[in-house]
């Protein structure tokens, strides 16, 4: 399914498990538990019954493969896509549908690959506490906001210690790690729209391009320049 920039697929769910794969572009997948920003060569596993919505950033080719059984993960997860898995997904979603027998064989290969791939830390949990949500909204509006947790605390009426505990309890992350996820999610979206590495680094609150490149490489295994150059 081709999607244009910022096109949305409204919230829905499925009675089957689904593998969601953007073979081109950037896809943002949202659930009640949080959101994922998924670049090419990554996919999202969505268990049956999990309500979700999609939004494209840049021209995006959305491919989905449904599985009736064999839940690979019991929760949504972002997965690395191997070259073999990529080709299997493309074959299963091609305009010329494979025969029933070939589809079964390809699905078995896909499931075998999915049991071997690595789950990636691209999840951005949504906190429930109103004070944390206020901080999340501020950083969604401006990921480069330099305020410390203590400064955010003064704005929302809570101590730094309380907010730190709440972030760990409700997102399973420290505040610095959670903010890094916010910035990297935003960076992927900006890169998909053609922004330069220098522009993205500044917009996401990094001290300079070198710091941004290092954080991006640690998260995605490549530099933002190479990522942006991918077809």
């Amino acid at each position: 399914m081709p999607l244009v920039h910022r096109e949305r697929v409204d919230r829905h769910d499925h009675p089957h498990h689904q593998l969601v794969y953007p073979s081109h572009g950037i896809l943002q997948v949202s659930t009640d538990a949080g959101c994922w920003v998924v670049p090419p060569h990554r996919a999202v596993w969505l268990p049956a019954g999990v309500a979700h919505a999609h939004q494209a950033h840049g021209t995006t080719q959305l491919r989905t493969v449904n599985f009736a059984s064999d839940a690979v993960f019991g929760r949504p997860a972002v997965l690395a896509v191997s070259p073999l898995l990529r080709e299997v997904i493309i074959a299963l979603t091609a305009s010329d549908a494979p025969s029933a027998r070939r589809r079964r064989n390809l699905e078995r290969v896909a499931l075998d690959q999915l049991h071997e791939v690595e789950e990636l830390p691209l999840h951005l949990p949504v906190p429930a506490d109103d004070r944390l949500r206020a901080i999340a909204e501020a950083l969604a509006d401006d990921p480069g906001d330099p305020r410390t947790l203590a400064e955010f605390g003064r704005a929302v009426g809570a101590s730094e210690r309380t907010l730190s505990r709440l972030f760990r309890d409700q997102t399973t992350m420290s505040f610095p790690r959670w903010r890094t996820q916010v910035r990297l999610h935003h960076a992927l979206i900006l890169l998909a729209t053609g922004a330069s590495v220098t522009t993205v680094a500044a917009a996401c609150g990094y001290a300079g391009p070198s710091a941004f490149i290092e954080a991006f490489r640690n998260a995605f295994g490549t530099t933002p320049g190479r990522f942006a150059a991918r077809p």
Side-chain angles (χ1 to χ4, degrees):
M1 175 192 297
L3 301 174
V4 299
H5 179 50
R6 294 198 177 280
E7 183 174 354
R8 289 184 59 85
V9 178
D10 291 336
R11 182 182 172 89
H12 61 287
D13 58 43
H14 307 283
H16 43 256
H17 310 300
Q18 188 174 74
L19 185 68
V20 178
Y21 173 58
S23 57
H24 181 83
I26 301 289
L27 190 69
Q28 184 170 339
V29 180
S30 302
T31 73
D32 289 340
C35 68
W36 293 257
V37 174
V38 188
H41 309 296
R42 303 289 185 260
V44 176
W45 176 266
L46 292 168
V50 173
H52 55 280
H54 306 312
Q55 183 173 19
H57 295 281
T59 302
T60 299
Q61 181 65 42
L62 170 62
R63 299 175 184 270
T64 60
V65 180
N66 299 328
F67 298 93
S69 59
D70 295 306
V72 180
F73 294 89
R75 63 190 182 282
V78 174
L79 311 171
V81 174
S82 67
L84 174 57
L85 181 56
R86 171 184 166 84
E87 294 306 316
V88 170
I89 294 171
I90 290 174
L92 285 168
T93 57
S95 55
D96 296 330
S99 65
R101 179 180 178 182
R102 176 169 165 75
R103 172 170 287 277
R104 286 193 299 271
N105 290 337
L106 288 170
E107 287 175 350
R108 280 196 289 269
V109 174
L111 285 169
D112 182 66
Q113 285 285 296
L114 289 170
H115 281 100
E116 297 296 327
V117 297
E118 176 188 2
E119 181 178 354
L120 302 171
L122 297 181
H123 180 210
L124 183 63
V126 176
D129 184 89
D130 288 342
R131 293 162 295 184
L132 267 57
R133 282 183 176 271
I135 296 171
E137 289 170 5
L139 288 172
D141 291 339
D142 178 14
D145 190 326
R147 281 180 287 179
T148 65
L149 192 55
E151 290 170 327
F152 276 121
R154 288 192 286 273
V156 301
S159 70
E160 179 180 12
R161 182 175 180 179
T162 295
L163 293 176
S164 179
R165 175 180 56 79
L166 286 171
F167 263 106
R168 289 186 180 277
D169 289 346
Q170 297 189 8
T171 72
T172 70
M173 298 180 186
S174 66
F175 173 69
R177 182 183 170 199
W178 188 87
R179 173 152 56 184
T180 295
Q181 291 291 84
V182 172
R183 290 175 169 177
L184 289 173
H185 277 210
H186 191 61
L188 288 172
I189 291 170
L190 291 177
L191 290 170
T193 61
S196 70
V197 170
T198 300
T199 298
V200 175
C204 293
Y206 288 94
S210 296
F212 168 55
I213 290 168
E214 183 64 21
F216 193 94
R217 183 190 289 114
N218 289 339
F220 303 116
T222 188
T223 65
R226 289 175 181 168
F227 171 83
R230 282 177 173 169

